[in-house]
Amino acid sequence: MPRCFPTSFQMTGPPVLLPSVSSHPCPETESESLLGKRAVIVEDEGITLLQLSKLLRSEGVKVVGAATNGQEGTDLVLKRRPDSVLMESECPSWMV
């Protein structure tokens, strides 16, 4: 069953992976499928990067790159041209 994720939210702590809930189905059409999409993850916390990567791969997303700072992330995005980028909004290593 596909997972529903909010389109925007404010996080104050580390990401939390929530299980799918069958009582709250997320209607998914073919055009909304993540299968085969390409993503780059930019995250300075190693465990969080691994969790995000695992979650995306379980939904059929190809993680084509991962970076731990803003400069590496920018370089990867320009080189790999992913469909999506998951980037931490506040990170001490963003200053380049």
Side-chain angles (χ1 to χ4, degrees):
M1 166 163 254
R3 292 181 179 94
C4 292
F5 298 100
T7 56
S8 66
F9 54 91
Q10 179 71 32
M11 288 192 67
T12 57
V16 177
L17 302 179
L18 300 174
S20 296
V21 180
S22 59
S23 64
H24 181 66
C26 176
E28 184 174 312
T29 64
E30 212 172 286
S31 63
E32 295 172 337
S33 175
L34 297 176
L35 190 61
K37 298 291 184 183
R38 299 162 27 96
V40 165
I41 303 170
V42 184
E43 168 60 57
D44 66 332
E45 292 290 330
I47 191 71
T48 304
L49 194 147
L50 291 172
Q51 289 174 329
L52 289 170
S53 180
K54 183 178 178 180
L55 174 66
L56 290 172
R57 286 188 173 116
S58 74
E59 295 297 327
V61 175
K62 295 177 184 176
V63 178
V64 296
T68 58
N69 66 55
Q71 185 61 56
E72 288 177 12
T74 300
D75 294 343
L76 268 175
V77 168
L78 293 173
K79 181 179 179 182
R80 304 282 172 88
R81 301 288 185 186
D83 299 304
S84 299
V85 178
L86 278 77
M87 182 177 283
E88 183 176 358
S89 63
E90 291 183 28
C91 174
S93 62
W94 285 151
M95 303 308 282
V96 290

